[in-house]
Amino acid sequence: MTGIIALVYAARAKKRQRCYSHGMVTAGMILGIIGICMGVLSSIYWGFNFLRILWMLSENNRMVPAPSNPEFFNGPGTPAAFSRYSESR
C-alpha cells in the first residue's frame, strides 16, 4: 500500500522538476517499487502459510476408522485398563 503511495508522490514530484531534486524523486520511485515487491512477496508468504494451516486442520479432523481387531481395545494402555488400575488402588 505504501509503495503505491510512494510511486504516486514520486510521479507528482517528477512533474514539478523545479521544486524537488532529481535524486529525491529517483529515490522515491526506487523505494516505492521495493515496497510494492516486498508487499507482494509477504502477501504470497502469509497466504501460503494460511492455506497450509487450513490444510493441516482439515487433515487432523478426518475420521479414522476403528481397527477390525476387537482385542485392540483390551490391551494395556487403553482407557479401560487405566480405569481398572486406578480402582484397585
Side-chain angles (χ1 to χ4, degrees), residues 73-89:
F73 296 103
N74 296 330
T78 60
F82 285 126
S83 64
R84 279 184 261 142
Y85 176 72
S86 63
E87 290 173 3
S88 64
R89 286 187 150 199

Side-chain angles (χ1 to χ4, degrees), residues 26-49:
T26 305
M29 289 191 136
I30 290 172
L31 291 175
I33 292 169
I34 290 172
I36 291 171
C37 292
M38 294 297 289
V40 167
L41 289 176
S42 68
S43 296
I44 290 170
Y45 174 77
W46 288 111
F48 174 74
N49 281 331

Side-chain angles (χ1 to χ4, degrees), residues 15-68:
K15 289 180 183 177
R16 302 176 189 169
Q17 282 288 332
R18 59 186 168 91
C19 299
Y20 302 100
S21 68
H22 183 66
M24 294 296 280
V25 172
T26 305
M29 289 191 136
I30 290 172
L31 291 175
I33 292 169
I34 290 172
I36 291 171
C37 292
M38 294 297 289
V40 167
L41 289 176
S42 68
S43 296
I44 290 170
Y45 174 77
W46 288 111
F48 174 74
N49 281 331
F50 180 72
L51 291 176
R52 189 173 61 144
I53 288 170
L54 289 178
W55 180 73
M56 287 171 50
L57 289 174
S58 70
E59 286 289 317
N60 288 340
N61 290 332
R62 289 195 180 148
M63 297 290 289
V64 178
S68 59

